């Protein structure tokens, strides 16, 4: 485990992930409430799937809670009218497509979901996800000592393995991910795989084949 107290987690955003592409038919969509519903219904349902508990999220256009879910609220006549009125106050004409799709615009709302921020474009229905990358576990400088036996390795890797397993599952909904060291699926979860004897052996093998055995001059003492 880490020998010193870890500092605050570092955090950075990766490249935005497109969940729903922009629909540029937003201008005729304002002609009638039925046209609006047809335009926004699909993106609104996708947004609702990501947001989950409806009552926790506000619509910044209307200033009200989406208490019956995003799909119901965003396709409603009230929301359609509120968005039209806001757009008219900003400019007499609708923005061109190259402006409508920009993220730093007042019609783009940020929703905070576990591990990410979802940006929803109220005009186009476009949605992008910024996943947050955090340092969840500090690096341990004494890893070479724990490579000396499978029991030490299991004790050493148990907590980081569980942290990785929980993080992967929360982001993807899956337990089965590939291990880059072993080249195999972690079918029983990251913790079980990373603590296993097979993975421990593969770490040793990779270090030795790369000409970089663990520091301290230790040899492979127990591989049975």
């Amino acid at each position: 485990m880490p020998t010193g107290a870890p500092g605050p987690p570092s955090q950075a955003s990766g490249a935005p992930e497109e969940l729903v592409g922009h629909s540029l038919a937003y201008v005729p969509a304002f002609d009638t409430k039925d046209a609006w519903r047809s335009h926004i219904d699909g993106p609104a349902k996708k947004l609702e799937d990501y947001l989950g508990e409806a009552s926790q999220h506000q619509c910044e256009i209307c200033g009200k809670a989406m208490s019956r879910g995003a799909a119901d609220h965003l396709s409603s006549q009230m929301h359609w009218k509120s968005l039209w009125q806001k757009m008219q106050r900003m400019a007499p004409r609708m923005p061109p497509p190259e402006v409508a799709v920009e993220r730093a615009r007042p019609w783009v709302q940020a929703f905070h979901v576990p591990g990410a921020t979802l940006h929803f474009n109220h005009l186009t229905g476009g949605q992008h996800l910024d996943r947050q990358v955090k340092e969840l576990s500090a690096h341990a400088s004494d890893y070479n000592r724990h490579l000396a036996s499978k029991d030490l390795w299991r004790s050493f890797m148990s907590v980081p393995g569980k942290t990785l397993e929980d993080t992967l599952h929360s982001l993807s909904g899956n337990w089965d991910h590939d291990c880059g060291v072993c080249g195999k699926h972690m079918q029983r979860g990251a913790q079980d795989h990373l603590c296993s004897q097979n993975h421990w052996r593969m770490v040793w093998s990779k270090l030795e084949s790369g000409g970089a055995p663990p520091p301290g001059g230790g040899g492979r003492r127990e591989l049975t």
Side-chain angles (χ1 to χ4, degrees), residues 18 45 64 108 134 179-180 186 190 192:
E18 182 179 285
K45 287 178 179 177
K64 296 182 179 180
V108 178
K134 295 183 179 180
C179 173
M186 300 187 288
D192 181 88

Side-chain angles (χ1 to χ4, degrees), residues 46-174:
K46 185 74 171 180
L47 178 64
E48 184 171 298
D49 289 342
Y50 268 89
L51 295 184
E53 186 64 34
S55 61
Q56 296 179 359
H57 300 281
Q58 295 272 334
C59 172
E60 291 182 352
I61 299 298
C62 303
K64 296 182 179 180
M66 299 188 290
S67 56
R68 296 175 60 182
D72 181 88
H73 177 85
L74 297 174
S75 62
S76 69
Q77 183 171 333
M78 178 192 69
H79 179 80
W80 167 59
K81 286 185 175 181
S82 295
L83 181 57
W84 171 256
Q85 290 166 358
K86 289 216 171 192
M87 297 304 297
Q88 289 297 296
R89 286 196 294 269
M90 282 186 277
R93 301 177 66 179
M94 283 289 171
E98 63 271 17
V99 174
V101 300
E102 292 178 352
R103 287 175 58 179
R105 293 291 174 176
W107 52 85
V108 178
Q109 181 172 351
F111 293 96
H112 298 291
V113 295
T117 300
L118 192 157
H119 298 271
F120 177 77
N121 190 311
H122 282 276
L123 274 185
T124 69
Q127 296 167 57
H128 293 79
L129 197 67
D130 282 334
R131 297 191 184 274
Q132 303 301 316
V133 180
K134 295 183 179 180
E135 182 182 321
L136 300 176
S137 181
H139 295 287
S141 59
D142 58 345
Y143 63 91
N144 58 318
R145 178 173 66 85
H146 296 91
L147 279 164
S149 78
K150 61 179 179 290
D151 291 331
L152 285 173
W153 177 256
R154 186 178 298 111
S155 176
F156 169 71
M157 190 53 63
S158 179
V159 172
K162 184 64 166 65
T163 300
L164 177 62
E165 181 175 298
D166 291 344
T167 302
L168 290 176
H169 187 263
S170 70
L171 293 175
S172 68
N174 295 321

Side-chain angles (χ1 to χ4, degrees), residues 159-207:
V159 172
K162 184 64 166 65
T163 300
L164 177 62
E165 181 175 298
D166 291 344
T167 302
L168 290 176
H169 187 263
S170 70
L171 293 175
S172 68
N174 295 321
W175 299 106
D176 185 5
H177 295 270
D178 291 336
C179 173
V181 172
C182 302
K184 296 181 179 180
H185 297 304
M186 300 187 288
Q187 296 177 335
R188 297 174 61 182
Q191 183 184 37
D192 181 88
H193 177 84
L194 298 176
C195 292
S196 69
Q197 182 170 328
N198 285 340
H199 180 78
W200 167 62
R201 289 188 178 199
M202 286 301 300
V203 172
W204 256 109
S205 178
K206 292 271 185 177
L207 287 169

